[in-house]
Amino acid sequence: MLAYIVESFDRSTKVIDFHYPNELLQRNNWELSDEPETLDDILISCRATLKYAIKTAHPRYFNQLSTGLDMVGLAADWLTSTANTNMFTYEVAPVFVLLEYVTLKKMREIIGWQDGHGDGIFSPGGAISNMYAMLLARYKMFPEVKEKGMSSVPRLVAFTSEHSHFSIKKGAAALGIGTESVICIKADERGKMIPSDLERRIVEAKQKGYVPFFVSATAGTTVYGAFDPLMAIADICKKHDIWMHVDGAWGGSLLMSRKHRWKLNGVERANSMTWNPHKMMAVPLQCSALLVREEGLMQSCNQMQACYLFQQDKQYDLSYDTGDKALQCGRHVDIFKLWLMWRAKVCVLCECKLMLSGGLMSLQPQHTNVCFWYLPPGVRYLEDKVEKMKRLHKVAPVIKARMMEYGTTMVSYQPQGDKVNFFRMVISNPAATFEDIDFLIEEIERLGQDL
């Protein structure tokens, strides 16, 4: 493992040793046998696993929002696994429960909630944190739904940007609200929610007899890195008495930046916020927090008071038995990585400037997402715009496939609305340099020169 870590930061090594699924299945014996393997065989399996793993710590890995490998965070993760406990009660996780308490309070203070009052929990990723927020919003408006179910409440509708994360619709599906009850609000050309369209759609929903209960604004959209206008959205939510949630899974960490915090102005008016330190703050996966402004709401919404875990006659303050406010019973210790990294270095957020060459066109970045097209020579000078876009749509997938075959770097691509496939480079790895960014651009040009 130590050798793998060193190799991950070595620019002369590959980011990926790619094989198609059937090939990879055949290259090694991955099957579970009826007899135990020898220690040598076990070590061979470990080496094979790392050989074909993606080096997400590699300075030339730009594929996802979560990149890099922090040594303090890694050490904290090893300690967490060594302790091997569960987060449901103070009696089995005393230090970890206290660390979660103090860290969540500090995060609420940073949001701007008075004296850090409120509640929160670490969950298995931003999608679950967003679902928690929707669950709480529904319970706050209709507490009877906990016992009587969706048949006891009117038709509920939620609102989110057309550029928001898919987890908002997935949460609505899981909670029985339904994906058709999630109304997508128009975004402007930079990917920000348009407040006037939000208010228009809320009024329309009310006229149809629906009950608006939840608005999810996004602070750092997945593709463009856009920040919705939180202050204007907060005004609308207050006017119509709707729960305001901020999905800051990607962009929430800008609250730690003196220079860029303004992009989240208005977040202090939200009822809840998702914040993923495992993204911009480089905490090892997974580390996602849901922060809630109202104290006690999570407990009343989710508690089942299982007497074999949450006995009411214990000798300590029962508010530290946090497990009953979670949907999970077994809950992994995600706090120690963040807490130890925070103690070790506070937080450093980077700024990136990117110069693009003549064969590339970019969308104006608002975060560390840099979205751009590569126009190969065979496409660059086409005058027929329809044909040009048709051929440009095929460029990024071909280059990405070639890139994975060579294994030298990785970057994502996708379409968005009426825009054909474009590259989305995400810069969140503290080890990445301007030279690594230059390398990515040069590789794209090299691999697409003949297209």
Side-chain angles (χ1 to χ4, degrees):
M1 289 167 69
L2 290 171
Y4 178 79
I5 293 167
V6 172
E7 191 176 277
S8 293
F9 290 94
D10 184 352
R11 289 171 174 80
S12 67
T13 65
K14 288 185 173 184
V15 174
I16 175 177
D17 184 359
F18 178 76
H19 293 80
Y20 289 96
N22 286 340
E23 295 176 349
L24 194 53
L25 280 170
Q26 294 170 9
R27 289 182 76 91
N28 289 275
N29 179 17
W30 307 105
E31 297 298 325
L32 295 171
S33 59
D34 295 332
E35 299 296 328
E37 303 285 342
T38 66
L39 179 58
D40 285 342
D41 289 333
I42 293 297
L43 290 173
I44 288 170
S45 296
C46 290
R47 293 188 186 103
T49 300
L50 291 176
K51 173 178 170 58
Y52 300 113
I54 312 302
K55 295 188 180 73
T56 57
H58 199 291
R60 292 172 178 170
Y61 176 80
F62 300 101
N63 205 68
Q64 307 299 146
L65 303 182
S66 304
T67 64
L69 181 62
D70 183 89
M71 293 302 107
V72 176
L74 178 61
D77 217 0
W78 286 353
L79 186 149
T80 297
S81 294
T82 302
N84 191 34
T85 193
N86 197 316
M87 283 294 287
F88 44 44
T89 62
Y90 178 84
E91 68 178 280
V92 299
V95 176
F96 296 133
V97 165
L98 292 178
L99 296 184
E100 186 171 76
Y101 171 82
V102 299
T103 305
L104 288 170
K105 184 175 186 293
K106 184 69 173 177
M107 294 172 83
R108 292 192 297 268
E109 290 174 359
I110 291 169
I111 289 172
W113 294 336
Q114 187 174 5
D115 300 321
H117 288 316
D119 209 339
I121 202 163
F122 282 86
S123 76
I128 302 300
S129 292
N130 287 338
M131 188 175 73
Y132 265 120
M134 188 176 285
L135 177 70
L136 294 173
R138 183 179 66 177
Y139 178 80
K140 176 70 175 176
M141 186 173 283
F142 296 103
E144 64 270 23
V145 76
K146 178 178 178 180
E147 295 181 354
K148 298 180 179 179
M150 286 296 292
S151 62
S152 66
V153 302
R155 169 76 180 272
L156 303 179
V157 286
F159 304 84
T160 192
S161 162
E162 61 183 348
H163 284 214
S164 67
H165 194 261
F166 67 84
S167 59
I168 304 302
K169 284 191 173 183
K170 186 166 281 192
L175 294 174
I177 294 165
T179 59
E180 290 185 358
S181 294
V182 177
I183 298 172
C184 291
I185 307 303
K186 291 179 182 177
D188 64 20
E189 70 280 356
R190 299 193 68 193
K192 300 171 182 282
M193 184 193 291
I194 300 174
S196 59
D197 191 53
L198 171 63
E199 182 148 38
R200 180 181 69 83
R201 300 301 297 273
I202 289 173
V203 171
E204 281 183 2
K206 286 182 173 181
Q207 290 172 345
K208 293 177 181 178
Y210 303 155
V211 178
F213 81 107
F214 181 79
V215 172
S216 179
T218 309
T221 58
T222 305
V223 179
Y224 286 179
F227 289 78
D228 289 341
L230 303 184
M231 200 66 79
I233 293 169
D235 288 339
I236 294 168
C237 289
K238 181 179 180 181
K239 178 180 176 180
H240 294 277
D241 194 23
I242 304 173
W243 182 288
M244 177 183 172
H245 174 64
V246 175
D247 178 5
W250 174 221
S253 296
L254 291 193
L255 289 172
M256 308 286 279
S257 167
R258 295 184 186 93
K259 184 173 181 179
H260 297 286
R261 180 187 169 92
W262 65 268
K263 295 178 181 180
L264 287 98
N265 284 350
V267 67
E268 70 281 357
R269 298 175 62 188
N271 298 93
S272 57
M273 178 185 177
T274 292
W275 181 349
N276 283 12
H278 70 230
K279 290 178 178 165
M280 183 55 68
M281 291 174 72
V283 176
L285 284 160
Q286 62 192 21
C287 189
S288 173
L290 173 74
L291 294 311
V292 183
R293 191 167 61 183
E294 182 177 336
E295 189 172 1
L297 187 63
M298 291 192 75
Q299 187 76 13
S300 57
C301 178
N302 296 323
Q303 69 179 354
M304 292 296 161
Q305 299 177 317
C307 61
Y308 52 85
L309 277 179
F310 308 112
Q311 301 91 338
Q312 298 302 297
D313 51 2
K314 291 180 180 179
Q315 73 272 32
Y316 56 81
D317 182 349
L318 297 179
S319 67
Y320 291 104
D321 279 359
T322 57
D324 213 13
K325 67 183 179 184
L327 291 175
Q328 304 159 257
C329 178
R331 189 160 67 91
H332 188 261
V333 177
D334 294 327
I335 180 57
F336 192 65
K337 299 169 290 191
L338 172 59
W339 180 85
L340 198 65
M341 287 176 64
W342 204 320
R343 294 270 287 201
K345 62 188 70 182
V346 189
C347 186
V348 179
L349 294 180
C350 65
E351 179 182 9
C352 177
K353 296 178 181 178
L354 180 67
M355 300 299 291
L356 298 178
S357 62
L360 293 93
M361 299 189 303
S362 72
L363 302 168
Q364 188 176 359
Q366 303 161 71
H367 196 17
T368 62
N369 308 45
V370 183
C371 301
F372 61 93
W373 291 275
Y374 169 65
L375 282 71
V379 173
R380 198 174 306 171
Y381 304 109
L382 283 175
E383 295 184 2
D384 184 331
K385 290 186 178 180
V386 174
E387 180 63 20
K388 188 173 187 175
M389 289 300 103
K390 182 179 178 181
R391 291 176 62 176
L392 183 58
H393 185 66
K394 299 177 181 178
V395 169
V398 172
I399 292 177
K400 175 65 180 286
R402 292 176 179 180
M403 187 181 288
M404 292 180 71
E405 293 283 353
Y406 279 95
T408 52
T409 185
M410 279 185 73
V411 68
S412 183
Y413 75 87
Q414 66 284 300
Q416 179 74 55
D418 61 352
K419 294 178 173 62
V420 299
N421 279 325
F422 54 87
F423 291 107
R424 181 204 63 171
M425 178 176 63
V426 177
I427 303 162
S428 61
N429 186 347
T433 65
F434 288 114
E435 288 74 17
D436 297 313
I437 297 169
D438 289 340
F439 178 85
L440 172 69
I441 301 302
E442 290 165 4
E443 274 293 271
I444 288 173
E445 291 182 318
R446 181 181 72 86
L447 295 171
Q449 193 68 23
D450 64 329
L451 297 177

